[in-house]
Amino acid sequence: MNKYNVVIASANEKTRLNIKQLLEFHFDFEAVALTSNKDDVLGVCLSGEIDVLFIDSNLLSDEEQSHLIEKLSSNIRIVYLSENSIQAANAFDLGVIDYLITPFCSERFQKCIRKLLRELNRVVEAPMAHIQNLLSQFQLPNTAKDPIVVKDTGKIRIIDTDDILWVGSAGNYVELHLSDEERPILHRETLSAMLDKLTSHGFIRIHRSSLVKKQSITELKPTDNGDYLVTLKNGDLLNLSRRYKQSMSGILT
């Protein structure tokens, strides 16, 4: 699963550790650096691998903070930490995404996380939508297939639907199992939404947690409980549940 990389910068060790521990309950984020050294902050954040910066007002002077936020806020989502509510609110004028008055409660932190996720997801969706639009300009009528555009670590992948054998549910994500890769690719989409996209490409739902391409099925074996064991071309085994037995007609045609 691809995570958003987070830097936590504060002169207060308790604050650094508190934020790190709270982030451990949010699997979309990973604290990759904790620092109390102001000289480290800019270097780490300019590496190109950082998505979120929690920066404490106790680490820099007002002038240094303004310079740092102005330099980083176009590429990194910044959360400003301060004991002074007026100082924290003024940070909005510099381009921070949110502020936390220290000490803060877990409910306030949850609200900050939700705001970060909304903003970060918009950042991801914008280039993906643009890529999808560009791809559509090169598609041939009635012959081309819409690819699946997926954010991967440091890149955006364009996946041909012909390469997908089956799709598994993983909460708010799905796992795309490809014919030429051993490990599945995680994609932020629901299984129902993927079925809408892939039905025209020969995919059917065989279980509440899986979709499969009809052409990738090599064997169906009934089980004692009325389900079916489905074998795919790559050797993967899936269950066809009784609830989705109506898909049988689609498999055998």
Side-chain angles (χ1 to χ4, degrees):
M1 173 180 176
N2 299 321
K3 296 187 177 184
Y4 296 117
N5 293 330
V6 179
V7 172
I8 305 168
S10 174
N12 189 314
E13 182 181 12
K14 184 177 180 180
T15 297
R16 297 195 305 270
L17 294 178
N18 185 33
I19 294 174
K20 182 178 184 294
Q21 289 172 353
L22 288 170
L23 284 174
E24 290 174 355
F25 293 98
H26 300 277
F27 302 122
D28 289 300
F29 297 90
E30 182 175 7
V32 296
L34 280 69
T35 182
S36 60
N37 187 335
K38 65 180 182 180
D39 296 327
D40 290 341
V41 177
L42 191 59
V44 172
C45 290
L46 290 177
S47 67
E49 300 296 328
I50 304 303
D51 302 294
V52 177
L53 168 65
F54 286 84
I55 180 75
D56 201 324
S57 63
N58 63 23
L59 199 63
L60 304 168
S61 67
D62 290 345
E63 183 178 350
E64 289 172 328
Q65 290 169 25
S66 298
H67 173 72
L68 182 74
I69 294 172
E70 182 179 355
K71 193 172 185 66
L72 297 178
S73 60
S74 60
N75 297 314
I76 295 176
R77 274 52 213 164
I78 299 175
V79 178
Y80 191 78
L81 311 171
S82 178
E83 296 178 352
N84 186 314
S85 59
I86 296 177
Q87 185 183 38
N90 288 339
F92 269 120
D93 295 333
L94 300 176
V96 302
I97 192 68
D98 201 359
Y99 67 85
L100 294 172
I101 306 300
T102 55
F104 50 84
C105 63
S106 60
E107 289 80 9
R108 179 62 182 89
F109 188 79
Q110 302 284 354
K111 183 177 179 181
C112 175
I113 289 295
R114 290 194 294 270
K115 190 171 186 178
L116 282 170
L117 283 172
R118 286 196 301 269
E119 179 65 21
L120 289 165
N121 288 337
R122 278 198 294 268
V123 171
V124 171
E125 290 166 3
M128 285 189 172
H130 178 62
I131 290 173
Q132 289 279 24
N133 183 54
L134 289 175
L135 289 170
S136 66
Q137 298 178 29
F138 293 97
Q139 291 178 353
L140 298 175
N142 303 321
T143 58
K145 298 180 178 180
D146 291 333
I148 304 297
V149 182
V150 177
K151 181 189 177 187
D152 206 347
T153 305
K155 59 188 175 182
I156 293 177
R157 294 188 57 176
I158 301 171
I159 299 175
D160 192 328
T161 54
D162 287 339
D163 295 331
I164 303 173
L165 295 178
W166 68 281
V167 182
S169 177
N172 291 327
Y173 292 79
V174 291
E175 292 179 335
L176 306 179
H177 295 260
L178 308 184
S179 57
D180 57 351
E181 296 189 25
E182 291 185 6
R183 299 183 63 182
I185 297 174
L186 204 63
H187 178 44
R188 193 175 182 86
E189 189 77 89
T190 65
L191 195 67
S192 295
M194 286 300 298
L195 181 60
D196 291 339
K197 293 180 179 180
L198 294 175
T199 297
S200 62
H201 301 295
F203 282 78
I204 55 174
R205 191 164 193 162
I206 63 170
H207 192 273
R208 61 182 177 83
S209 62
S210 56
L211 313 176
V212 66
K213 184 192 296 178
K214 289 183 289 186
Q215 291 84 351
S216 68
I217 297 172
T218 59
E219 183 180 87
L220 289 165
K221 185 178 180 180
T223 63
D224 293 338
N225 63 1
D227 293 347
Y228 281 80
L229 191 63
V230 179
T231 304
L232 306 185
K233 290 179 179 179
N234 66 344
D236 284 353
L237 298 176
L238 303 175
N239 284 325
L240 167 64
S241 68
R242 285 167 289 180
R243 178 181 176 184
Y244 295 97
K245 269 190 173 181
Q246 69 272 16
S247 298
M248 282 288 293
S249 59
I251 293 174
L252 299 175
T253 56

